[in-house]
Amino acid sequence: MKWEALPAVRPALAVLAGRALADQLGMTAIPWVVALAACGLAQGGGWGRFLAWASVGLLAGWGSPGGTGLPAGIDRERPVTLVARRVGSWQADGEARWAPFRGRRLRQGTRVAEWRQRAIVTLGPGIAEPATAGLRLRGYMRRAPPAANGGAAEPGSWRLWVKAAAFVEADPGASRWQSRVDSAGDRFRARFEAAFAAAPADSRGAALGRALVLGDGWRLPAEWRSGLRRAGLSHLLALSGLHVGLLAAAVYLLAAPLPGGPRRLLTVAAAGAYLVIAGSRPSLVRAAVMALGLWAALGLGRPPLAVNTLAWLAAAMVVADPALAAEPGFQLTVAATGGILVLSPLLVRSWPGLPHGVARPLAVTVGAQLATLPWALPAFHLLAPLAPLWNLLAVPWAALAVTGALGWGVLGAVWPGAAALVLPVLDLLALPCEALSRLPSGLAAVLPSALGTPQSAALAVSLGRALTAAGGARVRLPWLLAAATLLTGGRSPPPVPELAVLDVGQGESILVRDGREAVLVDGGGWRRPGIAGRVLVPALARLGVRRLRAVALTHPDLDHCAGLEELAALLRVAELWTAPGWGGEPCAGRLLVSPGLAIRYLWQGTVLRVGRWRLLVLHPPPGDRRPGNDRSLVMLAEANGRRVLLTGDLEAAAERRLVAGHRAMLAGVDVLKVAHHGSRTSTTEALLEATEPRLALISAGVRNRYRHPAETVLARLQRRAVRVLRTDRHGMIRIAFEPAGVRRLSLPGSPRDPG
């Protein structure tokens, strides 16, 4: 495919380049842009037209509100009115319900500002789902601040909590046509949701079908999602062009008796109807419009140029909605399609020794993965080297599963009795997901990464050149070495024992390592999944940790356990260390049955070695069956003559028992990890008197609702002249223990961004 054969690509790319440049330059006077366009048109030629089209992208970018925060003049501590449109379905979260929305405007007092970002809107208990998609909602805008573990990090999603039905009303500014489309889409979607909801709760096939048809992948078992992610197959759960293409192909085949024109029209109508049901996600819009362009070209008797269609479609979508360019869904769907169209032919020609039946599908998966690396790696922090091979097996299965799920959904909507009879077929199609979740980590290995966009782009270029360069191994080897250097970042473990308290928000996670021996004590966690991929994996990658000898669970609370459960499904972890008796707790129970994870139960008196670290378990005593925090695992860690007391979420009563049983052993602790995030129910005077620490470490979330750490605890520490370091103020805390007892502190995330 020659560049000269694709003249429409150049102006479209110029528009996209102008849009990207707008974010870097900031707001500039529009007359200058008009003058730039005029100069380009006057000059003529290739560069002149490029400048003219780039000015269109600049205008589009400057016409969109910049940044990802709240507009100037909007105070996050006061309630706001958000005018927004729902872009997904309502989901249950206990008694509350939530859905993704796309903002239009924010109002606070007399201040009204355009705001085109996405936000998760949660309706409090007792609030019925609104019938319309365009709404006015009043509440507080909040989002989790970015993790401060060193390096760039994205803050959490914006969230708006609505506490009363009086604060929800239809948006009178929504167009009548849009309201009708939304209403029709909700009715169609409700029929499909009712069909899947009628299936038995334990039907894995129905859960998979709901994910593939309606995009509700969060309902799948956590181990399924982790297995797909390890194999690089998460995209199969994201509604994309694959789903639209399968639906269009099925309708086109079924409509074979019709003449060409009506047949194509029916196919496009079916794709449009699916958009109404599933929602106008960027990937689906891109696929549907590209299908429309393909059928239009065939109807006009002209050869379709998919690259031209993709480029112009991406440019048109960005001009119509400039904020779309910053959304990962748009970036990934355009990049993946471009990789398939442009890179896969180059890869096929570079692999003449492979049979065409293998080379072509393999080139499609490799091309898509290479093209998406600059966006996917900074967003998800994992590289799955075997993903192209897994895709060779998974895409045919996914085609069957999507087709079966779509057919079952239609059958369930019109004939529920028949759908119940054929549900076992859907359950059978779900078996590969379950098998994938149980594979050993070596067969679905991932490489953690902390690369930003420029480095990820350089990695994609290096891998692409290694796969396509002519001249054999001598030519390709330097590119492979460049890729390996980028992936490792040149990081090697420190030469001395180290302890690091990671910033995981309102939770706790502590890394104890020496050389390549590393153990993670607790892993933080939230009610919604994602902390491992978003926080733990990039933090560990920046520290050069790519595998763990063990993860240690002090107790099964979600803010300590959930991250370990996710991490054990992603990285290579050899052992789980914990006290017995937690199997009945939901998170700990799932962690205990993680595939390939050996279990090692710890009691008081157990001694463990991690390189030069000596870990002595002080609590719980043998046979202890106390529930909750008072049975937290407590370890005394010692290296190079320095001692650190790791206390989990131990409460006051258990602290008194600990001091009574180990007073001599606790004397002269250098570093105290403050228990329970600095709660007022821990860190008693008795413990401080027994340990006499010089440094106290507190893991707590910024502006957390529990108001940790408590002022009373901070006052106790201050009276004893103990230096306090806190993740909510300093971010990650790293302590290197040099020989002869020298202690070296570093705060790679300080000063932290409050978000």
Side-chain angles (χ1 to χ4, degrees):
M1 184 182 299
K2 295 183 178 180
W3 177 258
E4 293 78 7
L6 304 170
V9 170
R10 285 171 281 182
L13 290 180
V15 173
L16 293 172
R19 171 62 184 90
L21 190 61
D23 290 336
Q24 304 299 321
L25 296 179
M27 187 62 185
T28 304
I30 290 178
W32 287 102
V33 184
V34 175
L36 178 67
C39 289
L41 292 173
Q43 177 182 343
W47 280 109
R49 287 191 295 273
F50 187 91
L51 288 176
W53 283 110
S55 66
V56 175
L58 283 167
L59 287 172
W62 289 331
S64 174
T68 60
L70 296 177
I74 299 293
D75 183 0
R76 73 160 64 201
E77 301 303 323
R78 296 168 52 205
V80 299
T81 298
L82 171 66
V83 179
R85 181 173 180 271
R86 179 166 50 83
V87 292
S89 61
W90 290 104
Q91 314 289 352
D93 188 1
E95 296 183 5
R97 300 189 71 79
W98 63 271
F101 276 72
R102 185 68 179 274
R104 291 176 53 203
R105 294 188 305 278
L106 279 176
R107 187 181 70 194
Q108 190 177 70
T110 59
R111 173 80 168 107
V112 179
E114 187 179 3
W115 195 76
R116 300 280 182 177
Q117 299 181 46
R118 291 173 66 93
I120 303 296
V121 173
T122 302
L123 304 179
I127 304 178
E129 295 179 7
T132 59
L135 297 173
R136 283 184 178 177
L137 306 137
R138 185 169 176 79
Y140 287 90
M141 293 291 292
R142 295 282 190 268
R143 68 171 173 179
N149 290 311
E154 292 294 327
S157 302
W158 283 106
R159 298 182 181 276
L160 181 77
W161 171 268
V162 181
K163 65 179 182 180
F167 299 141
V168 181
E169 61 179 356
D171 175 22
S175 69
R176 182 177 300 178
W177 176 85
Q178 188 177 72
S179 297
R180 288 177 177 174
V181 171
D182 291 339
S183 179
D186 287 342
R187 287 197 301 271
F188 283 125
R189 186 180 179 94
R191 297 289 297 273
F192 275 80
E193 287 181 337
F196 285 109
D202 60 349
S203 172
R204 299 297 180 92
L208 179 63
R210 188 182 184 105
L212 295 175
V213 175
L214 301 175
D216 294 344
W218 65 277
R219 295 176 183 268
L220 290 176
E223 62 270 21
W224 286 23
R225 297 194 302 268
S226 297
L228 289 167
R229 190 171 184 184
R230 280 190 299 148
L233 300 174
S234 295
H235 61 92
L236 298 179
L237 296 181
L239 297 187
S240 65
L242 173 66
H243 304 73
V244 177
L246 289 170
L247 176 62
V251 173
Y252 191 71
L253 290 174
L254 291 172
L258 297 176
R263 187 183 184 190
R264 287 190 291 270
L265 183 62
L266 184 61
T267 303
V268 172
Y274 183 70
L275 249 68
V276 172
I277 296 170
S280 55
R281 308 171 191 234
S283 56
L284 299 182
V285 171
R286 188 269 310 158
V289 177
M290 284 195 69
L292 178 62
L294 172 65
W295 299 129
L298 292 175
L300 296 173
R302 302 183 62 180
L305 290 175
V307 177
N308 286 350
T309 304
L310 174 66
W312 271 114
L313 174 60
M317 291 174 72
V318 165
V319 170
D321 185 0
L324 196 64
E327 291 193 7
F330 175 82
Q331 296 166 348
L332 293 175
T333 187
V334 172
T337 308
I340 291 171
L341 296 175
V342 177
L343 296 181
S344 59
L346 298 176
L347 292 167
V348 169
R349 290 197 294 270
S350 301
W351 302 336
L354 286 179
H356 191 73
V358 174
R360 186 173 181 82
L362 184 61
V364 167
T365 61
V366 172
Q369 187 173 23
L370 287 176
T372 55
L373 272 184
W375 292 274
L377 212 50
F380 306 118
H381 308 291
L382 290 172
L383 177 66
L386 299 180
L389 298 178
W390 282 112
N391 271 277
L392 284 180
L393 301 173
V395 169
W397 161 78
L400 290 174
V402 171
T403 304
L406 284 170
W408 192 90
V410 172
L411 187 62
V414 299
W415 193 359
L421 292 176
V422 299
L423 184 59
V425 177
L426 208 56
D427 290 334
L428 188 64
L429 288 173
L431 288 179
C433 269
E434 187 165 1
L436 190 63
S437 69
R438 300 187 179 280
L439 281 178
S441 59
L443 294 178
V446 292
L447 300 176
S449 165
L451 298 182
T453 299
Q455 298 92 334
S456 299
L459 176 63
V461 171
S462 299
L463 291 174
R465 290 295 297 157
L467 292 171
T468 59
R474 292 182 60 184
V475 177
R476 300 183 182 193
L477 184 59
W479 291 107
L480 289 173
L481 291 175
T485 302
L486 284 165
L487 270 176
T488 60
R491 296 180 179 88
S492 58
V496 295
E498 182 184 39
L499 180 140
V501 182
L502 309 185
D503 177 23
V504 292
Q506 185 58 24
E508 189 167 287
S509 186
I510 300 171
L511 179 71
V512 179
R513 70 164 170 174
D514 184 21
R516 299 194 180 279
E517 287 275 293
V519 172
L520 191 67
V521 181
D522 292 327
W526 305 320
R527 290 181 65 187
R528 294 193 179 97
I531 187 171
R534 183 179 156 199
V535 177
L536 295 179
V537 168
L540 293 174
R542 288 189 193 97
L543 294 172
V545 177
R546 285 172 170 75
R547 65 184 68 184
L548 293 166
R549 174 184 163 187
V551 292
L553 176 64
T554 61
H555 65 295
D557 284 358
L558 205 61
D559 60 336
H560 292 248
C561 175
L564 295 185
E565 180 191 354
E566 296 174 24
L567 192 69
L570 295 175
L571 298 188
R572 278 182 277 185
V573 180
E575 293 183 327
L576 167 64
W577 298 349
T578 191
W582 295 127
E585 301 291 335
C587 180
R590 293 190 297 268
L591 182 59
L592 286 166
V593 297
S594 298
L597 194 62
I599 311 301
R600 186 169 185 177
Y601 291 111
L602 309 181
W603 288 114
Q604 173 186 313
T606 305
V607 177
L608 305 157
R609 292 280 182 178
V610 181
R612 283 167 284 184
W613 281 104
R614 179 181 183 269
L615 305 179
L616 172 63
V617 179
L618 301 181
H619 190 268
D624 191 343
R625 285 293 186 268
R626 292 182 179 89
N629 295 340
D630 272 351
R631 195 151 59 91
S632 288
L633 194 66
V634 176
M635 293 186 287
L636 185 64
E638 184 175 359
N640 283 339
R642 294 281 188 169
R643 302 196 301 163
V644 182
L645 185 62
L646 305 177
T647 55
D649 273 4
L650 211 63
E651 302 279 3
E655 284 186 0
R656 287 192 291 270
R657 290 192 296 272
L658 183 71
V659 170
H662 304 284
R663 181 176 291 274
M665 200 171 296
L666 292 173
V669 164
D670 297 283
V671 181
L672 172 66
K673 197 288 299 180
V674 173
H676 203 180
H677 321 290
S679 166
R680 60 183 177 82
T681 60
S682 301
T683 318
T684 58
E685 291 284 3
L687 180 68
L688 293 176
E689 182 180 351
T691 56
E692 297 183 338
R694 301 178 184 179
L695 176 65
L697 311 177
I698 302 177
S699 180
V702 177
R703 296 186 299 272
N704 65 85
R705 62 177 178 173
Y706 308 101
R707 299 184 179 179
H708 291 160
E711 291 297 331
T712 53
V713 171
L714 295 176
R716 288 176 205 150
L717 294 168
Q718 185 177 17
R719 284 195 298 270
R720 294 180 176 275
V722 181
R723 182 183 180 185
V724 176
L725 294 176
R726 304 163 43 175
T727 59
D728 61 331
R729 292 191 175 179
H730 305 103
M732 178 194 287
I733 305 164
R734 295 181 66 180
I735 309 176
F737 295 90
E738 306 277 1
V742 177
R743 189 183 65 200
R744 181 162 44 85
L745 284 170
S746 61
L747 304 172
S750 183
R752 69 168 303 146
D753 178 4

